[in-house]
Amino acid sequence: MAVSVSEQSGHAPIAELRRTDIVEAARSLYERKGIGSTSVKDIAAEVGVTRSLFYHYFKNKDDVTEAVLDTYVQDFVELVRHWNASRELGNVRKALSESIKVIRRGLFDNNSLRKDLANNENAGLYLKFASRVSEALARYITDTTVVDYARYHEIEIDHVFETFYVLISGLVSYMRYNPEVSDEVLADIVAQTLRLDLDYVPGGSKVAPCATGAAPR
């Protein structure tokens, strides 16, 4: 397939659509076959373009793999957005429990790409994934959940964004090497790190000072 005049001239909508098609094709192949078993030729064939057109958008396979990682980060953030929107008002324990399940789901959904990322030979890719997830989730939670939480609780930690970044990256790393760890243990770690008041009841007589933000409003 020849590169169209519009694509050669950098026509943004067409170019962006074509690039998205290539990323989606690569992601689909990675999930079905794994990263190591997928070639640039496979990706080009999957999307129905020539390899020369692939290289018009991506320098190499590593370049498109980086873009695929970004889509997984976006999916992870979307899971957290859904959790945040569906939190039960004031139910700190439930929100904490559900947040751990969200993290586990984001890390261990059953497909070849996530299995590949868990392998030692892809440690570099996993570190990039973990770093991007930690940055994106810490920023989102700081800007949304923490703000909600502060309406009902005193925030008892300093450096809120940085604390969430370190906490999330630590959880991701620990769960990678210890996938059998129980949700209860992980919830305890989060609660202790953030100093969460798990017994707060909205409208009740007790409104104890509490921590930060992976808890509900």
Side-chain angles (χ1 to χ4, degrees), residues 32-95:
R32 297 192 327 252
K33 300 174 58 177
I35 299 171
S37 299
T38 301
S39 65
V40 169
K41 180 179 178 181
D42 294 332
I43 298 169
E46 179 81 0
V47 76
V49 301
T50 62
R51 276 184 286 181
S52 62
L53 185 55
F54 173 94
Y55 290 118
H56 179 74
Y57 293 100
F58 296 97
K59 294 182 294 186
N60 48 41
K61 180 182 167 183
D62 288 344
D63 198 21
V64 74
T65 301
E66 294 268 349
V68 171
L69 286 183
D70 285 339
T71 69
Y72 273 91
V73 173
Q74 292 164 11
D75 288 351
F76 214 140
V77 173
E78 190 56 37
L79 283 175
V80 174
R81 288 183 191 276
H82 179 74
W83 163 80
N84 191 46
S86 61
R87 288 179 293 121
E88 182 181 331
L89 180 64
N91 193 333
V92 181
R93 287 185 182 275
K94 183 177 180 182

Side-chain angles (χ1 to χ4, degrees), residues 95-113:
L96 176 58
S97 174
E98 290 176 347
S99 71
I100 298 301
K101 290 181 173 61
V102 167
I103 294 174
R104 195 179 291 279
R105 179 181 171 190
L107 291 176
F108 298 116
D109 265 5
N110 189 26
N111 62 55
S112 294
L113 180 56

